[in-house]
Amino acid sequence: MIKAGIIGSTGYAGGELVRILTGHKDAEIKWYGSRSYIGKNYADVYRNMFQIVDASCMDDNMEELASQVDVIFTATPQGLCASLVSEDILSKTKVIDLSADFRLKDVHVYEAWYKIEHKAPQYIEEAVYGLCEINREAVRKARLVANPGCYTTCSILTAYPLAKEGLIDMSTLIIDAKSGTSGAGRGAKVDNLFCEVNENIKAYGVATHRHTPEIEEQLGLAAGEDVVLNFTPHLVPMNRGILATEYAALKKDVTWDEVKAVYDRCYGNEKFIRVLDENVCPETKWVEGSNYVDIGFKIDQRTGRIILMGAIDNLVKGAAGQAVQNMNLMFGLDESEGLDLVPMFP
Amino acid sequence: MIKAGIIGSTGYAGGELVRILTGHKDAEIKWYGSRSYIGKNYADVYRNMFQIVDASCMDDNMEELASQVDVIFTATPQGLCASLVSEDILSKTKVIDLSADFRLKDVHVYEAWYKIEHKAPQYIEEAVYGLCEINREAVRKARLVANPGCYTTCSILTAYPLAKEGLIDMSTLIIDAKSGTSGAGRGAKVDNLFCEVNENIKAYGVATHRHTPEIEEQLGLAAGEDVVLNFTPHLVPMNRGILATEYAALKKDVTWDEVKAVYDRCYGNEKFIRVLDENVCPETKWVEGSNYVDIGFKIDQRTGRIILMGAIDNLVKGAAGQAVQNMNLMFGLDESEGLDLVPMFP
Amino acid sequence: MIKAGIIGSTGYAGGELVRILTGHKDAEIKWYGSRSYIGKNYADVYRNMFQIVDASCMDDNMEELASQVDVIFTATPQGLCASLVSEDILSKTKVIDLSADFRLKDVHVYEAWYKIEHKAPQYIEEAVYGLCEINREAVRKARLVANPGCYTTCSILTAYPLAKEGLIDMSTLIIDAKSGTSGAGRGAKVDNLFCEVNENIKAYGVATHRHTPEIEEQLGLAAGEDVVLNFTPHLVPMNRGILATEYAALKKDVTWDEVKAVYDRCYGNEKFIRVLDENVCPETKWVEGSNYVDIGFKIDQRTGRIILMGAIDNLVKGAAGQAVQNMNLMFGLDESEGLDLVPMFP
Amino acid sequence: MIKAGIIGSTGYAGGELVRILTGHKDAEIKWYGSRSYIGKNYADVYRNMFQIVDASCMDDNMEELASQVDVIFTATPQGLCASLVSEDILSKTKVIDLSADFRLKDVHVYEAWYKIEHKAPQYIEEAVYGLCEINREAVRKARLVANPGCYTTCSILTAYPLAKEGLIDMSTLIIDAKSGTSGAGRGAKVDNLFCEVNENIKAYGVATHRHTPEIEEQLGLAAGEDVVLNFTPHLVPMNRGILATEYAALKKDVTWDEVKAVYDRCYGNEKFIRVLDENVCPETKWVEGSNYVDIGFKIDQRTGRIILMGAIDNLVKGAAGQAVQNMNLMFGLDESEGLDLVPMFP
């Protein structure tokens, strides 16, 4: 039985980790960290867990935690994991960081986009970018995994095979993404009040959103060239789900079947990636509560562009589900253990 | 492995049965019945099931079905199950009817409220009302189970212990219930369009809703007297969930602890019923996707009344989940097999 | 031109006052008070007002304000208006208080339910309870109007004619109310975040909500007897709207037409009260954005009860619209000036 | 007093026309056409209009109608207006067609995208494309106005000044649009049921949506060159609102102020177009219920692209509001008569 500790267990991603690990047959949660609710019953914070979780919230003592558990999940804002991690901790336990601290390989890029100093740059190289379908083998051996962002998981996986096989002109790639509101976190802000979000849609972070360099880095690695792109996130009045609509010029004339074959070469054996049939567009509702990535695409002969669409549940494949998928890999378990979550409709 | 057939598998309750049975280790679905979509791939109707369910929709041939499966679920409008069931079918297979056909013991009450002739009154007596927590032993032995309605499950379980122990004046009981829109079904009606339901709340079926006599009959059995009550359903702009707020005059002065003890005597060992702590009100979100019933109550000294509140997911405990719970009982399985569904939040 | 000042203009009720007064041909806003946003452009707080309102937010200086305007609206939490009002102020300007400070005639009831000391009990008697349809003449002459609460406006007006004409047993009255989330205000609280409210319904303040004594007082005055009742509010995932479902035992056998006649005697000339046709239930969406109260009712012969239903827009008839209606009366204008708001659908 | 007739008055756009014209001081509705509800009280179809509209629904008799009214609004699916319009009708009355029949100047393009034969191609040249801010003078003199589509109004107005002044490379223009569900109409379809739309987002009509050629034609006229672009609509779980996010490569280095100046030259005197301050992104909620178009933009130095964002209420500026704006122009009234609608928030 893998002993797991969660730092930040009362955020939405942390709560989802608890939900998923509760149904995982080879793991048990030993530490429900939450600086905001220290000493409070976890089930009093998340009442869905009443009579399911019987534990109190603990402080963020990573040293102490490292001595008690096999794996630590940090579901906290950027900066925290980097400020706490150490050789001592990594020698005792594995760390899966759901924040951005170890996702970018260039510390200057990190510091430029996140506007904070990186406290543990010495681990950046060692850290494995935990997009399981791309870095599976490296994840298996990792001590420290940087769990990808929600927008980035969706954006990268949707375009990855085409970038890798050189099908699209990377300089033309534009990603227009739409996210449910749980992605904004559980902080008490006027902007996230029901009446401000409901019956509304807006773009935000235009040309400045921090997930941009992460997408650029990973798609750049796939394409074998530097990638600079536009990424625009939007806030949608729904709890969960991300839809990424991506536009790029095709480098050559291709048919739907040929593009499908490109996806199949990459993802043919991937359980959690579903490339949809022709003329079917992904909908976030069809993946809700599950670890699936649904991908569809359409070739526009008139403009010479391809339009890619990817959908995930931002809290599952975009956060907690992928973290558990990484944990499974790191501990040699079946990759889908605890993740056989059938999407819930409606 | 229990072989299951579903008639009406493309309605919302039918779809939820598919979701739940897909995760059930001792059952497999052999027949996806759907008169509206005969021959169509099930996963083309419910795309959440893409690459999970690989089967086509079948006609409603109950004879044929009875020879192939161990249990038939009928998730269809009233009238259908009664028109198809026969001694031959019941001798070959078990039937769990999610419609109202066998819920009411008095055929005249059925015909008066549903305005249709009952086609199989000879099975009414045999049929077991499948509210597992109340009729567990009878369900175990049943061939034909009448799965309770969504509003009724919530309304009855919330008040049952107090009715049974004579704590409340049954003639004063008023039930004000609120339901998500999946309870209205998947039929294409203007009233259920997004723009008609969203940003709106209304009562409907006031003093005439068909779940009324079902609640009256069951609470009457509990109380040992005839019960006549007001039941008012409301449509709420959300997908899932029922909240029942119930009002009744207390027959004597009691404390919160005393009432809690009454609930505990009835439900102390019930896995799926969670009686909440004092001053905690149930919320439908806390049970979403799960088979739980959450119950809270408040004594109002000023008026001498008690206010009871119960919350369920209408598609799970109010339909498909309870149906599977009944199946588990009928086949001697662990009652919660396939139903360890942790509520999803948010 | 009536010069108006608003204290608390950046709350939801304050914002709605601005929207309505902007379209009022005989009034202009001279003071946009908002302690939280002093000095900030009003249109930067509420961007719907961009290029419509060109003014900065001001402090809550009631003395200063009284010397500049003809009427002050206080759209602030309880306690503020009572702490600021004075003979000097009332001699210079009229005050319409949207808080609870002057709604209850018994200061002890106020202090018991609101848990604060009343700072200006000397004005309680003078203050007029501003439910225009009931207290029209008194409002016309008032210096200080207590604008009714949102739940109370809906709850009282729905039952008032029946209470007044002695049709119902007041000791049996139960009010089950449902409100959109703007009623919870614009404060940054976790409970009001989109993801907490959306796809959820719950009761709150059960047996303790502060609107209870206000309803009891007014319906008691109508009935000519002390009234004690149950009032249960619920939070609904929508921005606007209140629906009150009310239950009471009828004192005698009556027909729908007889009850309709009772309503007509009271409300026959009321522009803003619409008593619906038989078998039509009010829906909050049909009054959205308007000052209407829609009322429907159903007699249940089986239980001897009548079920009343009333719907309003909580920010209009439940707050800002009614405040403007009161202003119109106080200044001798056409009562509906600025309030010819056609409900918006969908 | 202008006498107006509406064909298709019970669709969502038709209902909005009724709402707006009800508040118009120089117009009155004489004919509530609705083939689906002939003979039914209009206020029984749209209960918001109870005690406001006292009229029955009429058949679509355009001949008869032409003899009674000064202007006919056709708020019907494509094909109907073209099949009914004639010289006789146009000689008696003005026609504002909210469908697509006369929007495209090339009948072959119309027939290719709409897959129907055009029944009155002889009026295509005469018809004026009723985008008031662009074609104001022509509208004033028109007998037949083609009211622009909802997506197109938003998409075109957002990019128009930049196209006209040659600031952007038109071959790079990509429009990613998001719409509330009222845009899908009031037809009873499973796809538009509450439970299918709620908590969901999807793209649809990818590379094939019929508003594409309309946008291309108008922006082509502005730019003085043929334009071929990608337009992708998305369905958002909200009632009203369209947000268009548009991407294009800048032809030269410009500052925010320079681009703002371009907008100001075009729209500086336009009441209904609000170009927002720097770093402010439009939100659909801020224009809800009003005739405004809110526009924001951001220059991305990294990619050399500009990101434009436009927001409208699809039923107002995207349909009924613009139709009334056109009517005002055609009859020599103040262009904003009846359209001083302050956006409603929340």
Side-chain angles (χ1 to χ4, degrees):
Chain A
M1 206 66 160
I2 300 164
K3 292 194 281 287
I6 304 172
I7 294 182
S9 67
T10 56
Y12 289 139
E16 191 70 354
L17 258 176
V18 174
R19 179 176 81 96
I20 294 173
L21 288 176
T22 297
H24 194 293
K25 70 177 174 47
D26 300 319
E28 58 182 336
I29 303 171
K30 286 299 194 185
W31 186 288
Y32 295 83
S34 172
R35 238 189 292 193
S36 320
Y37 294 103
I38 296 172
K40 193 163 183 177
N41 278 336
Y42 188 80
D44 285 343
V45 181
Y46 281 117
R47 292 191 189 280
N48 54 326
M49 290 304 177
F50 185 59
Q51 296 182 0
I52 300 173
V53 170
D54 183 17
S56 294
C57 295
M58 310 287 283
D59 198 358
D60 295 343
N61 190 332
M62 210 159 171
E63 294 280 346
E64 168 69 17
L65 188 45
S67 70
Q68 294 190 18
V69 301
D70 303 307
V71 61
I72 297 173
F73 296 92
T74 49
T76 47
Q78 59 273 4
L80 189 87
C81 183
S83 73
L84 294 178
V85 78
S86 69
E87 192 54 38
D88 182 52
I89 287 166
L90 288 175
S91 70
K92 292 182 191 156
T93 187
K94 294 176 192 294
V95 173
I96 300 173
D97 178 25
L98 279 76
S99 89
D101 286 359
F102 297 99
R103 291 179 191 158
L104 297 165
K105 287 300 171 197
D106 185 334
V107 70
H108 303 297
V109 173
Y110 175 90
E111 294 184 342
W113 286 79
Y114 286 88
K115 321 277 189 211
I116 52 174
E117 187 196 352
H118 200 296
K119 293 293 176 48
Q122 68 275 23
Y123 296 113
I124 291 181
E125 198 186 325
E126 175 184 349
V128 174
Y129 188 72
L131 199 48
C132 315
E133 285 76 10
I134 309 302
N135 291 332
R136 182 169 285 123
E137 291 316 309
V139 170
R140 284 193 216 278
K141 300 171 215 147
R143 295 195 301 177
L144 172 59
V145 162
N147 209 59
C150 51
Y151 279 124
T152 51
T153 295
C154 188
S155 301
I156 296 165
L157 290 175
T158 300
Y160 183 84
L162 280 59
K164 196 176 163 201
E165 298 211 8
L167 222 67
I168 52 177
D169 176 350
M170 296 305 288
S171 73
T172 66
L173 185 59
I174 289 172
I175 301 175
D176 188 286
K178 299 91 179 166
S179 174
T181 305
S182 58
R186 211 187 185 208
K189 294 178 192 164
V190 168
D191 279 358
N192 297 335
L193 290 178
F194 181 82
C195 290
E196 309 286 319
V197 172
N198 189 40
E199 293 297 289
N200 199 7
I201 184 166
K202 65 173 176 185
Y204 64 98
V206 181
T208 60
H209 194 278
R210 293 157 171 182
H211 283 179
T212 310
E214 191 180 331
I215 302 168
E216 290 177 342
E217 183 172 305
Q218 294 298 322
L219 289 181
L221 289 171
E225 60 177 299
D226 279 353
V227 170
V228 180
L229 51 77
N230 273 107
F231 167 74
T232 312
H234 297 76
L235 189 65
V236 180
M238 58 184 191
N239 288 343
R240 288 168 180 248
I242 284 178
L243 182 74
T245 313
E246 314 192 4
Y247 303 85
L250 285 162
K251 281 183 174 169
K252 56 175 174 179
D253 229 31
V254 283
T255 64
W256 189 88
D257 287 324
E258 287 166 343
V259 178
K260 177 66 161 54
V262 170
Y263 275 109
D264 286 346
R265 279 197 286 281
C266 249
Y267 297 149
N269 297 315
E270 292 299 341
K271 170 167 182 173
F272 293 122
I273 299 186
R274 306 190 294 192
V275 181
L276 306 178
D277 294 338
E278 194 167 2
N279 291 319
V280 177
C281 295
E283 309 187 16
T284 57
K285 190 73 188 158
W286 301 122
V287 297
E288 189 177 326
S290 83
N291 203 47
Y292 290 107
V293 185
D294 277 7
I295 297 174
F297 60 90
K298 180 93 183 181
I299 295 162
D300 188 354
Q301 306 284 7
R302 297 170 65 251
T303 61
R305 293 193 192 100
I306 188 166
I307 301 104
L308 316 175
M309 295 156 278
I312 63 166
D313 183 320
N314 59 305
L315 293 179
V316 188
K317 185 62 180 173
Q322 185 147 260
V324 171
Q325 195 179 352
N326 277 313
M327 181 192 82
N328 289 340
L329 287 170
M330 294 163 91
F331 287 87
L333 304 174
D334 178 349
E335 189 172 335
S336 66
E337 175 52 40
L339 296 170
D340 283 321
L341 304 160
V342 181
M344 195 164 87
F345 184 89
Chain B
M1 208 65 160
I2 301 165
K3 293 195 279 286
I6 303 174
I7 295 182
S9 67
T10 56
Y12 289 140
E16 190 71 356
L17 259 176
V18 174
R19 179 176 80 97
I20 293 173
L21 288 175
T22 298
H24 194 294
K25 71 176 173 48
D26 300 319
E28 57 181 337
I29 304 173
K30 286 298 192 185
W31 185 287
Y32 295 81
S34 172
R35 239 189 294 193
S36 322
Y37 295 103
I38 298 172
K40 192 162 183 177
N41 278 334
Y42 189 81
D44 285 344
V45 181
Y46 281 117
R47 292 191 189 280
N48 53 327
M49 290 304 175
F50 186 59
Q51 295 182 0
I52 299 174
V53 170
D54 183 15
S56 294
C57 295
M58 311 287 283
D59 197 356
D60 294 344
N61 190 332
M62 209 160 173
E63 294 282 344
E64 169 70 16
L65 188 43
S67 70
Q68 295 190 18
V69 302
D70 303 308
V71 59
I72 298 172
F73 295 92
T74 49
T76 47
Q78 58 274 4
L80 189 88
C81 182
S83 73
L84 295 178
V85 78
S86 69
E87 192 55 38
D88 182 53
I89 286 166
L90 288 175
S91 68
K92 292 184 191 155
T93 188
K94 293 177 194 293
V95 173
I96 299 174
D97 178 23
L98 280 77
S99 88
D101 286 359
F102 297 100
R103 291 179 191 158
L104 296 167
K105 287 301 170 196
D106 185 334
V107 70
H108 303 296
V109 173
Y110 174 90
E111 295 184 342
W113 287 79
Y114 286 89
K115 320 276 189 216
I116 51 172
E117 187 196 350
H118 199 295
K119 293 294 175 49
Q122 68 274 25
Y123 296 113
I124 292 181
E125 199 187 325
E126 175 183 350
V128 173
Y129 188 73
L131 200 49
C132 315
E133 285 77 9
I134 309 302
N135 291 331
R136 182 168 285 123
E137 292 316 310
V139 169
R140 283 195 217 276
K141 298 169 217 150
R143 296 194 301 177
L144 172 58
V145 161
N147 209 58
C150 51
Y151 279 123
T152 51
T153 295
C154 189
S155 300
I156 295 166
L157 289 175
T158 299
Y160 182 85
L162 279 59
K164 195 175 163 201
E165 297 212 8
L167 223 67
I168 51 176
D169 176 349
M170 297 304 289
S171 72
T172 65
L173 185 59
I174 288 171
I175 301 175
D176 189 286
K178 298 92 180 165
S179 175
T181 304
S182 58
R186 213 186 185 210
K189 295 179 192 161
V190 168
D191 280 358
N192 297 335
L193 290 177
F194 181 82
C195 289
E196 309 285 317
V197 172
N198 189 39
E199 293 297 287
N200 197 9
I201 184 166
K202 65 173 175 185
Y204 64 98
V206 180
T208 60
H209 194 278
R210 291 157 170 182
H211 284 180
T212 310
E214 192 180 331
I215 302 170
E216 289 177 344
E217 183 172 304
Q218 294 298 321
L219 289 181
L221 288 172
E225 60 177 300
D226 281 352
V227 170
V228 180
L229 51 75
N230 274 107
F231 167 73
T232 312
H234 296 76
L235 189 68
V236 179
M238 58 185 193
N239 287 344
R240 290 169 179 245
I242 284 178
L243 183 73
T245 313
E246 314 193 4
Y247 303 85
L250 285 162
K251 281 185 174 168
K252 56 175 176 180
D253 231 30
V254 283
T255 64
W256 190 88
D257 287 325
E258 286 165 344
V259 177
K260 177 65 160 54
V262 170
Y263 276 109
D264 286 347
R265 277 197 288 279
C266 249
Y267 297 147
N269 296 314
E270 293 298 341
K271 171 167 182 174
F272 293 121
I273 299 185
R274 306 191 292 193
V275 181
L276 306 178
D277 293 338
E278 194 166 2
N279 291 320
V280 177
C281 295
E283 310 187 15
T284 57
K285 191 73 187 158
W286 300 122
V287 297
E288 189 176 326
S290 83
N291 203 46
Y292 289 107
V293 185
D294 277 8
I295 297 173
F297 61 90
K298 180 91 183 183
I299 295 161
D300 187 353
Q301 305 286 3
R302 298 171 65 252
T303 62
R305 293 194 192 100
I306 189 165
I307 301 102
L308 315 175
M309 294 157 281
I312 63 167
D313 183 319
N314 59 305
L315 292 180
V316 188
K317 185 61 181 175
Q322 185 147 261
V324 171
Q325 195 179 350
N326 277 314
M327 181 191 81
N328 289 340
L329 286 170
M330 293 162 91
F331 287 87
L333 304 174
D334 179 349
E335 189 172 335
S336 66
E337 175 53 41
L339 296 170
D340 284 320
L341 304 160
V342 181
M344 196 164 87
F345 184 89
Chain C
M1 208 65 161
I2 301 165
K3 293 195 279 288
I6 303 172
I7 295 183
S9 67
T10 55
Y12 289 139
E16 191 70 356
L17 258 175
V18 174
R19 179 176 80 96
I20 293 173
L21 288 175
T22 298
H24 194 293
K25 71 177 173 47
D26 300 318
E28 56 181 339
I29 303 171
K30 286 298 193 186
W31 186 287
Y32 295 81
S34 172
R35 236 188 295 194
S36 321
Y37 295 103
I38 297 172
K40 191 163 184 176
N41 279 335
Y42 187 81
D44 285 343
V45 181
Y46 281 116
R47 291 191 189 279
N48 53 327
M49 290 303 176
F50 185 59
Q51 295 182 359
I52 300 174
V53 171
D54 182 17
S56 293
C57 296
M58 310 286 283
D59 198 356
D60 296 342
N61 189 334
M62 210 161 173
E63 293 282 345
E64 170 70 16
L65 187 44
S67 69
Q68 296 190 17
V69 301
D70 304 308
V71 59
I72 298 173
F73 295 92
T74 48
T76 46
Q78 59 272 6
L80 190 88
C81 182
S83 74
L84 294 178
V85 78
S86 69
E87 192 53 38
D88 182 52
I89 287 167
L90 287 175
S91 69
K92 291 184 192 155
T93 189
K94 293 177 194 294
V95 173
I96 299 174
D97 178 24
L98 279 77
S99 89
D101 285 0
F102 297 100
R103 292 179 192 158
L104 296 167
K105 287 300 169 196
D106 184 335
V107 70
H108 303 298
V109 173
Y110 175 89
E111 295 184 341
W113 287 80
Y114 286 89
K115 321 275 188 216
I116 52 173
E117 187 196 350
H118 199 295
K119 291 295 175 49
Q122 68 275 25
Y123 295 113
I124 291 180
E125 199 186 325
E126 175 184 349
V128 174
Y129 188 73
L131 199 48
C132 314
E133 285 77 8
I134 309 301
N135 292 331
R136 181 169 286 123
E137 291 316 309
V139 168
R140 284 194 216 276
K141 299 169 216 150
R143 297 194 300 177
L144 172 57
V145 161
N147 209 58
C150 51
Y151 279 123
T152 52
T153 295
C154 189
S155 300
I156 294 167
L157 289 175
T158 299
Y160 182 83
L162 279 58
K164 196 177 163 201
E165 298 211 8
L167 223 67
I168 51 176
D169 177 350
M170 297 303 289
S171 73
T172 66
L173 186 59
I174 288 171
I175 302 174
D176 189 287
K178 299 89 180 167
S179 176
T181 305
S182 58
R186 212 187 185 208
K189 294 179 191 161
V190 168
D191 280 358
N192 297 335
L193 290 177
F194 181 83
C195 290
E196 310 284 318
V197 172
N198 188 40
E199 292 297 289
N200 198 7
I201 184 166
K202 65 172 175 185
Y204 64 99
V206 181
T208 60
H209 194 277
R210 291 156 171 183
H211 283 181
T212 310
E214 191 180 332
I215 301 169
E216 290 177 343
E217 184 172 303
Q218 294 298 321
L219 288 182
L221 289 171
E225 61 177 299
D226 281 353
V227 170
V228 180
L229 52 75
N230 274 106
F231 167 73
T232 312
H234 296 76
L235 191 66
V236 180
M238 59 185 192
N239 287 344
R240 289 168 178 247
I242 284 178
L243 181 74
T245 312
E246 314 193 4
Y247 303 86
L250 284 162
K251 281 186 175 167
K252 55 175 175 179
D253 231 30
V254 283
T255 64
W256 189 88
D257 287 324
E258 287 165 344
V259 177
K260 177 65 162 51
V262 170
Y263 276 108
D264 286 347
R265 278 197 288 279
C266 249
Y267 297 148
N269 297 314
E270 292 299 340
K271 171 168 182 172
F272 293 122
I273 299 187
R274 306 191 292 192
V275 182
L276 306 178
D277 294 337
E278 195 167 1
N279 291 319
V280 177
C281 295
E283 309 187 16
T284 57
K285 190 73 188 157
W286 300 122
V287 298
E288 189 176 325
S290 83
N291 203 46
Y292 290 107
V293 185
D294 277 8
I295 297 174
F297 60 91
K298 179 93 184 182
I299 295 161
D300 188 353
Q301 305 286 5
R302 299 170 64 252
T303 62
R305 293 194 191 100
I306 190 166
I307 300 104
L308 315 175
M309 293 157 281
I312 63 167
D313 183 320
N314 58 305
L315 293 179
V316 189
K317 184 62 180 174
Q322 186 147 261
V324 171
Q325 195 179 350
N326 277 313
M327 181 192 82
N328 288 341
L329 286 171
M330 293 162 90
F331 286 88
L333 304 174
D334 179 349
E335 189 172 333
S336 66
E337 175 52 41
L339 295 170
D340 283 321
L341 305 160
V342 181
M344 195 163 88
F345 184 89
Chain D
M1 206 66 160
I2 301 164
K3 292 194 280 288
I6 303 173
I7 294 182
S9 66
T10 55
Y12 289 140
E16 190 71 354
L17 258 176
V18 174
R19 180 176 81 96
I20 292 173
L21 289 175
T22 297
H24 193 292
K25 72 177 172 49
D26 300 319
E28 55 182 339
I29 304 171
K30 286 298 192 185
W31 187 288
Y32 295 82
S34 172
R35 237 189 295 194
S36 321
Y37 294 103
I38 297 172
K40 193 164 183 176
N41 279 334
Y42 188 80
D44 285 343
V45 181
Y46 280 117
R47 292 191 189 279
N48 53 327
M49 289 304 176
F50 186 58
Q51 297 182 0
I52 299 173
V53 171
D54 182 16
S56 294
C57 294
M58 310 287 283
D59 198 358
D60 294 344
N61 189 333
M62 210 159 172
E63 293 281 345
E64 169 68 17
L65 189 43
S67 70
Q68 296 190 17
V69 303
D70 304 308
V71 59
I72 297 173
F73 295 92
T74 49
T76 46
Q78 59 272 5
L80 190 88
C81 183
S83 72
L84 295 178
V85 79
S86 69
E87 192 54 38
D88 181 54
I89 286 167
L90 288 174
S91 69
K92 292 184 190 154
T93 188
K94 294 177 193 293
V95 173
I96 299 174
D97 178 24
L98 280 77
S99 89
D101 286 359
F102 298 99
R103 292 178 191 159
L104 296 167
K105 288 301 171 198
D106 184 335
V107 69
H108 303 297
V109 173
Y110 174 90
E111 295 184 343
W113 286 79
Y114 286 89
K115 320 277 188 212
I116 52 173
E117 186 195 352
H118 199 295
K119 294 291 175 48
Q122 68 274 25
Y123 296 114
I124 291 180
E125 197 185 327
E126 176 184 347
V128 174
Y129 189 74
L131 199 49
C132 315
E133 286 76 9
I134 309 302
N135 291 332
R136 182 168 286 123
E137 292 316 310
V139 169
R140 283 194 217 275
K141 299 169 215 148
R143 297 194 301 177
L144 172 58
V145 162
N147 209 58
C150 52
Y151 279 124
T152 52
T153 294
C154 189
S155 300
I156 294 166
L157 289 175
T158 299
Y160 183 85
L162 279 58
K164 195 177 163 201
E165 298 211 8
L167 223 67
I168 52 177
D169 177 349
M170 296 305 288
S171 73
T172 66
L173 184 59
I174 288 172
I175 302 175
D176 187 287
K178 299 91 179 167
S179 175
T181 304
S182 57
R186 212 187 186 210
K189 295 179 191 160
V190 168
D191 279 359
N192 296 335
L193 291 177
F194 181 84
C195 289
E196 309 285 319
V197 172
N198 189 40
E199 294 296 288
N200 197 8
I201 185 166
K202 65 173 176 186
Y204 65 98
V206 181
T208 61
H209 194 277
R210 292 157 170 183
H211 284 180
T212 310
E214 192 180 331
I215 302 169
E216 290 177 344
E217 183 172 303
Q218 294 299 321
L219 289 181
L221 289 171
E225 61 176 299
D226 282 351
V227 170
V228 180
L229 51 76
N230 274 107
F231 167 72
T232 312
H234 296 76
L235 190 67
V236 180
M238 58 185 192
N239 287 343
R240 289 169 179 248
I242 285 178
L243 182 74
T245 312
E246 314 192 4
Y247 303 86
L250 284 162
K251 281 181 171 170
K252 56 175 175 179
D253 230 30
V254 284
T255 65
W256 189 89
D257 287 324
E258 287 165 344
V259 178
K260 178 64 162 54
V262 170
Y263 276 108
D264 286 348
R265 278 197 287 280
C266 249
Y267 297 148
N269 296 315
E270 293 298 342
K271 170 168 182 171
F272 295 122
I273 298 185
R274 309 191 290 193
V275 181
L276 306 179
D277 294 337
E278 194 167 2
N279 291 319
V280 177
C281 296
E283 310 187 15
T284 58
K285 190 74 188 159
W286 300 122
V287 297
E288 189 177 326
S290 83
N291 202 47
Y292 290 107
V293 185
D294 278 7
I295 298 173
F297 60 90
K298 180 93 185 181
I299 295 161
D300 187 354
Q301 307 285 5
R302 299 169 65 252
T303 62
R305 294 195 191 98
I306 189 166
I307 301 104
L308 316 175
M309 293 157 281
I312 63 166
D313 183 320
N314 58 306
L315 293 180
V316 188
K317 185 62 179 174
Q322 185 146 262
V324 171
Q325 194 179 352
N326 277 313
M327 181 193 81
N328 289 339
L329 287 170
M330 293 162 91
F331 287 87
L333 304 175
D334 178 348
E335 188 172 335
S336 66
E337 175 53 41
L339 295 170
D340 284 320
L341 304 160
V342 181
M344 196 164 86
F345 184 89

